[in-house]
Amino acid sequence: MNFILGLLYGIAAQIFTFIQLQGQFKFQWMKDNPIYMALLGFPLSLLYIASVRYMVAHFEGQLWPSRLLGFAIGAIVFTIMSWAWFKEPLSLKTLVCLGLAVCIMLIQLFWK
């Protein structure tokens, strides 16, 4: 259950971070109001803290798995969001990087 909660908090944090940072290129209001967008950093930090707490609990106190999984989740979410929002093509380079992120996740989850 800790892993699922950590994963869900992590995905939510990455999605909202993408919106916070890249939204300025899609919505004029976000571009014109960077202070309001920066204020989203506080609740986003709480999501990241919760994600790390649950991931570290799942991995019995180890810090590295949560860091590497967080990186992989971020790469996957960024790829999906940039494709969905901005129609950025999935080049071979992007697909290879995405595959590496999935490999990092699988190593952290299944290599004992």
Side-chain angles (χ1 to χ4, degrees):
M1 188 62 169
N2 282 332
F3 177 75
I4 298 298
L5 288 171
L7 183 66
L8 292 175
Y9 278 117
I11 290 170
Q14 291 290 344
I15 289 170
F16 290 124
T17 298
F18 183 92
I19 294 167
Q20 178 196 32
L21 300 177
Q22 314 313 321
Q24 64 182 318
F25 304 114
K26 187 163 181 73
F27 302 108
Q28 188 63 40
W29 184 89
M30 290 180 164
K31 184 176 186 177
D32 294 342
N33 295 283
I35 298 299
Y36 291 121
M37 298 313 299
L39 290 174
L40 289 175
F42 181 77
L44 283 172
S45 294
L46 296 175
L47 288 174
Y48 283 112
I49 289 168
S51 176
V52 170
R53 180 185 320 116
Y54 286 112
M55 287 289 190
V56 170
H58 174 76
F59 289 103
E60 300 172 347
Q62 294 182 43
L63 300 176
W64 268 110
S66 71
R67 177 64 188 108
L68 294 170
L69 284 167
F71 163 77
I73 292 166
I76 292 166
V77 167
F78 191 93
T79 300
I80 292 168
M81 294 289 293
S82 63
W83 174 79
W85 267 32
F86 298 105
K87 306 299 182 224
E88 286 198 14
L90 297 176
S91 67
L92 180 58
K93 179 172 74 171
T94 300
L95 290 171
V96 168
C97 291
L98 188 58
L100 290 170
V102 170
C103 287
I104 288 170
M105 288 186 80
L106 294 173
I107 288 168
Q108 291 304 310
L109 291 174
F110 298 112
W111 189 335
K112 300 296 178 191

